[in-house]
Amino acid sequence: MIFKIVFSSILAVASLTITGCGGGSENSVSQYSIKVQNLTSAQPMSPVAVILHNSSYSLFTVGSSASLALEKLAEDGDNSSVIADTNTNIEQTKSSAVLLTPSSVQDIEITSQSKYISFATMLVNTNDAFAGLNSYDISTIAVGENVEIDIIAYDAGTEKNSETAQTIPGTGGEGFNSLRDDANSIVRAHSGVISIDDGLNTSGLTSIHKFDNPVVKLTITRIN
Amino acid sequence: MKKIIASTIASVALLSQSLLAQEIDVKIHNNTNGIYFTPLLVSAHPASTSIFSLGSAASANLKAMAEGGDISGLSTDLASVSSNSVENPAGGMLAPGASTTTSISTALENTNLTIASMLLPTNDGFVSLNGWKIPTTAGTYTININAYDAGTEANSEKIADIPADPGLKAGTGGTGVSTVIEGFVHIHRGNIGDSDPTGGKSDLDVSSQRWLNPIATVTVTVK
């Protein structure tokens, strides 16, 4: 009798472990439409990265330092390392093909069994600003329903916000540099750009590059 | 038998009464330090109507509201879809820090709530709640709302391009901040201002005429 109970407990643990593999099976397979809109006046955004994953993955944590993959995305608009991440807690990743220009909308279709979605794109007329969403629970969206999520801008904390044209990819400057010269090297809410019109004489940006939150609207619809 | 029929009719009547009308209170609070809201338009309307679409060009009536504070065109647009609207609940400008409350009885089909007014002093900035779905469950709901740029006028920040400065903080002689007309409705990037009352780029006051979102807080009470 005792043996039997122990045996069935082991079986239950084993099946739980299998269920948790690869970030999947937390949910039944569902189809989602993800609409991404740029709400800024003049901040083109790099091809967006969408990550479907389980509760053990985190794209970024406010108050902690950024991963190298996120640094590349936030400084250079290069999402390839985020997209190619082999972390076993990721079920799948998707990238849009082109820049998300101001006012434009991109529609990304996803078939996934993951519970969580994360998202990031660089504001390319900045040193290291990105619009990000961390671990949003999509399993609570009913079939046929949609949620609208306002996304704010974060500072990756991996590059000083000098705003010089030479350091900003959108103004023809350098993108990724592994040197972390931000005095406070943690991810935090972005305080905005200053620009030459607002008194930073060495800035390569003008007033039209300024932004306020939200910078992106995400509309997630569960199709089935 | 007659009695049963009568009570059925009575319950049907009650049901249709609750479907036909919803009583809501709408409170709007100006969260800013020095930005005035021109006379507000508050409207319950069908879900199929909206006064603007983010990322698209503004209508002529939205432009008139955002550049000049004139809500009459938008009010006419909303009246044409049998909305339940209230104009100018604050009886003039809604000052920084102030709030105003209005009540609306909404018809069955008017399921969504829109609020709009121009921000002064700005070129074409406006505060809005754009077609928020009114809950059917009684309760109090708080919504943080944002400042938008109609994209119809460059943000010159020159007082000559702005209808009024109710707080009397703006200067003169600015050479102009921006000449770019964006062409689409988007989240307003904010005023810049400067500290030179007789020159500089902007005529607006840097220390009092800026803001960050949320620019207003709306409290809706569904009764």
Side-chain angles (χ1 to χ4, degrees):
Chain A
M1 192 61 177
I2 288 169
F3 271 117
K4 198 177 173 187
I5 291 168
V6 170
F7 187 59
S8 72
S9 299
I10 290 168
L11 268 181
V13 167
S15 66
L16 267 177
T17 308
I18 291 162
T19 307
C21 270
S25 299
E26 293 183 16
N27 227 347
S28 55
V29 176
S30 294
Q31 198 183 349
Y32 301 91
S33 149
I34 298 158
K35 279 195 164 56
V36 189
Q37 184 170 28
N38 181 334
L39 304 184
T40 69
S41 54
Q43 284 286 349
M45 295 178 186
S46 62
V48 306
V50 175
I51 305 107
L52 283 304
H53 57 87
N54 68 21
S55 60
S56 299
Y57 169 85
S58 176
L59 179 59
F60 64 95
T61 305
V62 171
S64 298
S65 57
S67 67
L68 179 60
L70 184 67
E71 179 181 7
K72 289 177 179 171
L73 185 152
E75 292 183 12
D76 197 27
D78 172 10
N79 69 18
S80 59
S81 295
V82 169
I83 293 296
D85 194 338
T86 55
N87 185 325
T88 55
N89 296 302
I90 295 175
E91 179 207 15
Q92 60 175 297
T93 59
K94 279 215 171 182
S95 171
S96 64
V98 293
L99 281 174
L100 179 70
T101 53
S103 83
S104 70
V105 181
Q106 290 179 355
D107 198 346
I108 298 166
E109 298 280 331
I110 281 184
T111 302
S112 170
Q113 55 191 3
S114 290
K115 191 172 181 188
Y116 296 101
I117 191 169
S118 292
F119 160 90
T121 177
M122 180 194 185
L123 281 64
V124 303
N125 288 314
T126 67
N127 289 94
D128 60 340
F130 68 100
L133 175 69
N134 205 11
S135 300
Y136 185 87
D137 183 353
I138 50 175
S139 69
T140 58
I141 305 170
V143 173
E145 295 293 309
N146 68 70
V147 291
E148 287 189 359
I149 307 165
D150 285 343
I151 309 264
I152 69 165
Y154 293 93
D155 188 318
T158 57
E159 181 182 339
K160 186 181 175 186
N161 291 349
S162 69
E163 294 185 25
T164 61
Q166 296 80 9
T167 61
I168 293 176
T171 53
E174 182 186 52
F176 172 67
N177 184 321
S178 62
L179 177 69
R180 295 204 172 190
D181 60 351
D182 192 315
N184 189 14
S185 62
I186 57 166
V187 178
R188 70 271 187 174
H190 204 285
S191 51
V193 296
I194 300 169
S195 89
I196 194 164
D197 292 321
D198 211 356
L200 182 62
N201 292 329
T202 52
S203 177
L205 306 175
T206 67
S207 66
I208 63 165
H209 299 119
K210 291 178 76 79
F211 57 86
D212 190 5
N213 290 317
V215 291
V216 165
K217 184 200 283 281
L218 214 58
T219 308
I220 305 177
T221 306
R222 186 174 196 154
I223 296 165
N224 63 34
Chain B
M1 194 59 178
K2 271 188 173 169
K3 197 177 172 186
I4 291 168
I5 290 169
S7 75
T8 306
I9 290 168
S11 64
V12 166
L14 270 176
L15 194 65
S16 37
Q17 194 176 17
S18 65
L19 286 173
L20 275 174
Q22 207 174 0
E23 300 292 324
I24 61 169
D25 288 345
V26 181
K27 180 183 176 186
I28 301 146
H29 192 158
N30 179 337
N31 291 341
T32 71
N33 177 33
I35 302 293
Y36 288 72
F37 298 175
T38 60
L40 287 145
L41 177 60
V42 183
S43 179
H45 56 81
S48 54
T49 299
S50 64
I51 61 168
F52 69 93
S53 294
L54 269 172
S56 298
S59 68
N61 289 334
L62 189 83
K63 174 182 156 92
M65 181 275 293
E67 292 186 14
D70 177 6
I71 54 175
S72 63
L74 290 178
S75 188
T76 303
D77 290 345
L78 288 163
S80 72
V81 292
S82 304
S83 67
N84 304 112
S85 298
V86 174
E87 290 181 34
N88 194 15
M93 301 277 174
L94 186 66
S99 62
T100 184
T101 302
T102 188
S103 300
I104 304 183
S105 295
T106 67
L108 171 63
E109 62 276 15
N110 292 335
T111 54
N112 290 58
L113 182 68
T114 286
I115 298 170
S117 101
M118 183 191 183
L119 302 170
L120 283 176
T122 68
N123 291 90
D124 59 340
F126 66 102
V127 54
S128 187
L129 175 66
N130 188 14
W132 180 74
K133 192 166 176 14
I134 304 166
T136 50
T137 308
T140 300
Y141 303 86
T142 301
I143 316 140
N144 287 320
I145 66 172
N146 297 321
Y148 296 91
D149 187 314
T152 55
E153 182 184 341
N155 293 355
S156 68
E157 300 188 17
K158 293 199 285 193
I159 201 67
D161 299 334
I162 295 171
D165 172 32
L168 305 176
K169 295 275 181 21
T172 56
T175 56
V177 173
S178 177
T179 56
V180 177
I181 300 170
E182 303 88 347
F184 53 90
V185 181
H186 55 280
I187 293 288
H188 202 294
R189 57 186 181 262
N191 284 341
I192 287 178
D194 63 36
S195 55
D196 183 346
T198 57
K201 289 176 179 167
S202 175
D203 286 335
L204 306 183
D205 177 43
V206 68
S207 67
S208 66
Q209 294 180 323
R210 294 168 70 129
W211 73 84
L212 288 175
N213 288 325
I215 196 165
T217 303
V218 175
T219 310
V220 176
T221 304
V222 178
K223 294 175 182 174

